[in-house]
Amino acid sequence: MTHVAVIGGGCAGLAAAARLAEHGVPVTLYESAQQLGGRARGIQWRNEILDNGQHILLGAYGETLGLLELAGVDPASVLMRLPLQLDVRPAFRLRASSSLPAPLHIFAGLLEADGLNWRERLRVVRFMAWMRLHDFSLPRDEVLSALLYRHGQSERLVRYLWEPICLAALNTPLNQASAQVFLNVLRDSFARSRTDSDTLLPRSDLSTLLAEPLAAYICAHGGQVRRATGVREIRREERGFRLMLNNGEEASFSHAILATAPFRVADLTAGIPELAPQRLLCEALQYQPICTAYLQFDPQLRLAQAMAGLSSGLGQWVFDRGLLYGQHGLMAVVISTEGRYLDMTHEQLVRTLCRELAETFPEHAASLSAPQWHKVITEKRATFACHAGIRRPAMHTAVEGFYLAGDYVEGDYPATIEGAVRSGVAAARAIIQSSETKDHV
C-alpha cells in the first residue's frame, strides 16, 4: 500500500503533501519546527506579525497560485496584483502597457521608460527581441553580465533594469548569475500572457497566506501534519523506508520525499549509499544571504506606492507594509546577496538604511530620520547561489520511491517560492503516476 513520508514543512514539502492528499494518497508530513513554512513564514514581534523575509510573487507563478486555490484561498483577496511596474529611485521608471498583449506590452513600456535615452531604449528592445527570437535559450550557460555586455546594454540599463530584476529573482550578483536561469524567468514572465508579468504582493504574512491553509487542507483530506517532530535518519527497508524520529519513534513508508534544506540531505541519507551523487551535489552548493530590515516610523507615513526599488546604497527594495498589511508606518527594506552589511551591527545598518531612505524620498526625509523600533532578520543561507553552469541534484534518485524536493532541485527556476512549489508538485506527481501504473499492472 502506498503511504508517503514528506520530510520538511516548507513550501516544497507542503506542496507535495497537498497534491498527494488531493489524489487520496496517504501522506504524513514531518516538520522539525513548531511552525510550518520554512523560510516563508510569519513571525511575532512587538505585537506585530512580520515575515521571516519580505517576498514577492509573479503572475507567472502558476503552481503557487493553483496551490492557494486548492487550499481554498482566493488569490485576489490575499495578494495585491499590480501590472508590471519597475520604479527604481531616483532615475528609472517602467510601466508596461495595460492594453497590448505580451510581449508587446513590455516593448511599449521600454520605449516609454523614464530615465533612458532613445539609444538605450532601442538597445533594450532589440535585446528583448533577440531573446524571444531565440526562445529565451542559450547554446550554453554563461554569467549574466557577459550576456548583457555582448548585447550592448549600457551601465545605466544594467544598474536600473537588469540588476534589480536579477537580484530579486536569482539573489546572485550579475557577474556570477546564470544567464540561462535568468532568461527562464523572463520567458515565463514577459513572453506569454500579459498578466504573467504582474507583481503579486502579499497582504498577510506567509504563514497565514500559504502554510496554514495548506496544512489544514492536508489534514482535511486524510493526511497528517506532524509539527515539532524531526527526523534523525532515513533507512531503506525491503518495501520502502524507515524514518528514525528525534523523539525515539520509528515509522515505515512506501515512498519518501525529502524536502529539507540541501545542507541536511547528507546527514539524513548517510545510510543510503545509492544517494551519494545527490549528497555530493548538495554539498557543493553555495549560498547567498538575504536581509530584511523592518523599520517602524510614524504611522502617518505613507509612500506613494507599496514597493519601490532603491539604487543609492545597501537596500534594493522598500515595501510600505501600511499599504499592504495595514501596518501603518512600517517599512521593510530588503538587501540581497553578500555585502558589507554582514559586518555591521543592527544599529549601524538601520542608521545607514534610514539615511538612504531619506535621500531617496526627500519629501519624507524628516519622518525617515529614525525609526521608533526596528527588527533585522538575516538569513545567511537564504538561497543557493544561482551561478552560471551550476549543477543541481535531480528530483528523481537512483533509489526507487525516494525523491528530493526544494527550490534547489534541478529545474528552470532559481530559489523562489514558485521553484520550491514546482519541485514538490513534481515529486508528488511522480509518486501518483507510479502508483497508478502499478495498480494497472
Side-chain angles (χ1 to χ4, degrees), residues 39-122:
R39 296 188 307 275
R41 67 184 188 276
I43 64 169
Q44 291 275 352
W45 179 259
R46 286 181 170 262
N47 297 319
E48 296 281 4
I49 301 180
L50 310 177
D51 283 296
N52 200 48
Q54 185 71 46
H55 291 263
I56 65 172
L57 290 82
L58 297 175
Y61 285 8
E63 289 288 1
T64 303
L65 295 174
L67 209 60
L68 285 173
E69 293 174 349
L70 179 70
V73 177
D74 176 17
S77 67
V78 296
L79 296 168
M80 177 185 287
R81 180 180 284 268
L82 302 172
L84 175 66
Q85 49 184 308
L86 187 59
D87 191 343
V88 181
R89 301 296 184 99
F92 180 78
R93 183 176 180 179
L94 166 67
R95 293 289 186 275
S97 169
S98 59
S99 58
L100 294 174
L104 297 179
H105 72 311
I106 300 293
F107 290 163
L110 290 169
L111 288 173
E112 298 177 356
D114 295 335
L116 301 180
N117 59 42
W118 275 104
R119 179 175 295 180
E120 289 168 327
R121 293 175 185 177
L122 291 175

Side-chain angles (χ1 to χ4, degrees), residues 145-156:
S145 57
L147 179 68
L148 296 174
Y149 176 79
R150 194 166 65 254
H151 285 271
Q153 303 302 285
S154 69
E155 181 180 344
R156 188 159 47 175

